Amino acid sequence: MSVLELTLSELLNKPKATLANLRGTRRILLRRRDDEDLVLTTAARADQDLEVMGATSRMFVEMMRTPQGRTLVLDVLPATFPWVRYLPAHDVREFSVELVDALGAATSLDNTAGVAQLLTEWRHTAEVHADPELYAALTTDSGEDYGPVPEPGIAA
């Protein structure tokens, strides 16, 4: 995939010349000094990307409805997500089911944030399983009661 990296200043100072670059590349990555970088593409290319993601997700979801598909997905997960090797077998199966559910929801909402969050959470779970000291620290009961936990967003 062709990505051209430019600065936001280049777009602001030479908008026509900068935008003309979209004819020869799929995306322009606009680097910003004090904020998150931006990606610039054409609406047609963005629609193509969404269509491909949706088709791929729908195909994956339908494939998981068959026993052969579930077996295939479990076989390819370690190649796709190498960190699943650290997960117990039951967690790998749970991850595959949650991934399918998240992909289906993302396609219907046209929003991939939930899938990205799910991948991050499972990758962190694999990190815990990969580190015996961390796993022991997080799974061993200290015998202490630290009291009630306040609800999120409420200052203690």
Side-chain angles (χ1 to χ4, degrees), residues 25-40:
T25 187
R26 289 197 56 81
R27 290 178 180 79
I28 296 175
L29 177 64
L30 295 174
R31 297 280 183 196
R32 299 195 297 175
R33 262 181 269 167
D34 299 329
D35 211 343
E36 187 176 2
D37 294 339
L38 302 173
V39 174
L40 191 62

Side-chain angles (χ1 to χ4, degrees), residues 9-112:
S9 297
E10 289 174 275
L11 173 64
L12 297 173
N13 293 328
K14 299 178 184 175
K16 281 188 178 183
T18 302
L19 294 177
N21 286 307
L22 282 173
R23 285 188 214 107
T25 187
R26 289 197 56 81
R27 290 178 180 79
I28 296 175
L29 177 64
L30 295 174
R31 297 280 183 196
R32 299 195 297 175
R33 262 181 269 167
D34 299 329
D35 211 343
E36 187 176 2
D37 294 339
L38 302 173
V39 174
L40 191 62
T41 191
T42 65
R45 287 188 182 129
D47 287 344
Q48 287 173 351
D49 291 345
L50 288 172
E51 184 67 28
V52 169
M53 190 205 80
T56 304
S57 294
R58 287 189 302 276
M59 203 164 66
F60 185 67
V61 168
E62 289 305 313
M63 191 172 71
M64 284 292 288
R65 293 183 195 270
T66 68
Q68 302 89 345
R70 287 188 291 275
T71 300
L72 179 60
V73 167
L74 290 173
D75 287 346
V76 301
L77 277 179
T80 309
F81 305 103
W83 45 262
V84 302
R85 290 177 174 86
Y86 294 106
L87 294 173
H90 69 278
D91 279 354
V92 175
R93 285 188 296 279
E94 186 178 338
F95 166 60
S96 70
V97 169
E98 287 184 19
L99 180 59
V100 168
D101 290 345
L103 286 168
T107 300
S108 70
L109 293 174
D110 191 19
N111 185 333
T112 59

